[in-house]
Structures are given as structure tokens and as C-alpha cells.
Amino acid sequence: MKKPAKAILEELKSDGKERVMFYIDKDLQTKFKKVCAQKKVRMSNVVERLIQDFLDEIKEK
């Protein structure tokens, strides 16, 4: 069942998260997508954890 675009946008707005865009090399992007698909992990969750780990590491120094 496909949702209309308006419903998807409203759902995204209601989750309380800020959307950001990042740019990575095309080869790296392909590898990243492949690994995430194999592990059945959402790419956004991986990026969120990477940022949080980075912030935690900076805080410790």
C-alpha cells in the first residue's frame, strides 16, 4: 500500500527530528547502502549513532 506524499511528509514532521543532508563519495555511498541493507539497519540510524559517538568522544577530551 502506497501512502500519498502529503501523508509521508506529515508523518516525518511529527517525529520531532530535524532533517539534515550530507554528501559522501559515490563509491562510499554504494558501500554504505550495501552494508546497511545486509545488516537490515537504516542508514539514518547509523549516521545518528556516528554523530552521537563523535559528540561523546569530543566531550571526553
Side-chain angles (χ1 to χ4, degrees), residues 31-51:
K31 290 176 188 176
F32 185 47
K33 283 182 177 181
K34 192 175 190 178
V35 169
C36 287
Q38 288 173 347
K39 300 290 183 182
K40 297 181 180 169
V41 177
R42 294 188 64 197
M43 291 185 347
S44 60
N45 291 345
V46 174
V47 172
E48 190 174 332
R49 279 189 261 156
L50 286 169
I51 293 170

Side-chain angles (χ1 to χ4, degrees), residues 11-32:
E11 185 178 310
L12 289 173
K13 288 179 184 176
S14 69
D15 72 0
K17 292 186 177 183
E18 179 82 20
R19 295 313 186 267
V20 296
M21 188 180 304
F22 66 98
Y23 298 92
I24 57 176
D25 182 77
K26 194 72 168 171
D27 292 335
L28 182 59
Q29 181 184 14
T30 303
K31 290 176 188 176
F32 185 47

